Amino acid sequence: MNFVKDFEAKLESITKDIYTKTPRAKIQPKTIAKKLLHEMENNLSTTLSHTFAPNNYFIHLNRLDIDSIGPLTHFFTNELEFFLKEESKEKGLILVGSPEINFIPDSDIEPGHMEVKSSLSIKEDMLYRKGINEETRIISEEEALLLGLISSSPALMLKTETKHYVFPLLKEKTSIGRLRDNDIVLNSPEVSRRHAEINRKKGDFFIKDLNSTNGIVLNNKEIKKEKRLVNGDILILGTAELEFKNPQAEK
């Protein structure tokens, strides 16, 4: 916890001048850090022998608050990502790749308030960097496979022309859509902002359309109602094709 206090003191020292000159700024750096830590601790993913921290964080702020910290957004992002790495290390958590932080303007958030959301995703290009993994517990997709995060957990797999993504389904509800605060983000204009949701019920997984514009195609058939997924199912949302993998269940 000493690291948290030292981190807060560092942020306050560096940002003191800009916040003095910007009286409308109501969001303090240490408040953001505490919210991120709370979000990380409350959204851990576990396998039989390991605990993983989220690696994507979305900080929703009113536009006034984002404008007030504008000159320091890049600095905040770097420092907060370092903060999450150190906290993960101290708590014995595993990070799949470096944490990524995004500041998102949100008109539904009142000035001086914020909402923080997180998700866990794995990309094929999350490679080792010698001397870093052992210290921060940042791992590659290959190591995640060895640890059992992918091979033993139900997941959605998305292949693009340049990358291969694996999204472990470790929550009771997993949201899919174009907005960046979804658990699985599909950056395509053919995908609705809140396109679909996968629900886990007694070990089974069900896909449900959230009144999306282009709907969901499951194994070449458009679905209107919630459907149970089985290993090997192919889902099409807009132009994105995903495969459902569940090694724990028979097809």
Side-chain angles (χ1 to χ4, degrees):
M1 195 57 70
N2 288 335
F3 172 76
V4 176
K5 292 181 179 179
D6 292 343
F7 178 80
E8 292 175 356
K10 178 183 178 182
L11 284 181
E12 288 184 350
S13 174
I14 295 176
T15 60
K16 182 178 180 181
D17 289 341
I18 190 170
Y19 274 91
T20 300
K21 297 174 183 178
T22 315
R24 67 179 179 177
K26 297 181 180 181
I27 296 293
Q28 298 299 318
K30 64 179 181 181
T31 304
I32 298 176
K34 288 180 179 179
K35 287 278 190 179
L36 284 169
L37 182 58
H38 182 268
E39 177 68 16
M40 180 182 75
E41 293 175 337
N42 285 275
N43 285 278
L44 301 176
S45 301
T46 60
T47 62
L48 292 176
S49 56
H50 298 88
T51 302
F52 296 80
N55 56 1
N56 298 306
Y57 295 84
F58 308 97
I59 303 171
H60 292 250
L61 295 169
N62 186 276
R63 171 61 74 178
L64 290 176
D65 290 318
I66 288 184
D67 291 345
S68 72
I69 63 174
L72 292 177
T73 300
H74 181 69
F75 165 78
F76 278 167
T77 300
N78 289 338
E79 290 298 309
L80 290 169
E81 288 175 353
F82 174 75
F83 168 72
L84 291 173
K85 286 182 185 179
E86 291 300 304
E87 282 299 300
S88 297
K89 174 185 173 183
E90 183 175 315
K91 297 177 184 298
L93 304 174
I94 295 175
L95 276 170
V96 183
S98 297
E100 295 183 5
I101 292 176
N102 300 274
F103 287 91
I104 300 176
D106 193 329
S107 60
D108 292 331
I109 304 296
E110 294 293 327
H113 296 269
M114 77 175 78
E115 182 176 344
V116 178
K117 297 183 179 181
S118 65
S119 65
L120 169 65
S121 64
I122 301 170
K123 293 184 289 185
E124 189 178 44
D125 60 355
M126 289 177 174
L127 303 176
Y128 290 105
R129 288 183 293 167
K130 186 176 181 181
I132 297 296
N133 289 316
E134 293 80 3
E135 179 182 353
T136 63
R137 300 298 293 151
I138 299 174
I139 65 173
S140 67
E141 183 187 19
E142 180 182 1
E143 188 177 358
L145 282 164
L146 294 175
L147 291 172
L149 176 62
I150 301 174
S151 62
S152 65
S153 300
L156 284 182
M157 303 182 68
L158 170 67
K159 292 184 179 180
T160 68
E161 293 182 359
T162 58
K163 295 180 180 179
H164 177 194
Y165 299 85
V166 180
F167 301 99
L169 301 174
L170 301 174
K171 296 183 176 181
E172 293 300 314
K173 291 186 178 182
T174 300
S175 60
I176 307 173
R178 196 172 70 248
L179 289 181
R180 292 187 63 85
D181 62 350
N182 284 289
D183 296 309
I184 298 177
V185 179
L186 300 177
N187 188 20
S188 167
E190 302 299 319
V191 175
S192 296
R193 294 191 300 172
R194 307 284 185 191
H195 199 108
E197 183 177 81
I198 293 181
N199 298 307
R200 182 170 60 185
K201 303 176 183 178
K202 297 181 179 180
D204 288 326
F205 291 82
F206 297 81
I207 181 78
K208 179 173 69 173
D209 184 80
L210 299 179
N211 296 317
S212 65
T213 301
N214 293 311
I216 300 172
V217 175
L218 173 62
N219 298 329
N220 297 318
K221 294 183 180 179
E222 185 174 3
I223 62 172
K224 299 295 184 181
K225 298 181 180 180
E226 186 177 61
K227 291 289 186 179
R228 176 177 174 270
L229 296 173
V230 297
N231 188 39
D233 276 349
I234 301 297
L235 294 163
I236 297 178
L237 285 70
T239 57
E241 181 176 308
L242 303 104
E243 182 177 359
F244 175 69
K245 290 289 189 179
N246 189 3
Q248 301 172 355
E250 294 182 0
K251 186 170 180 180

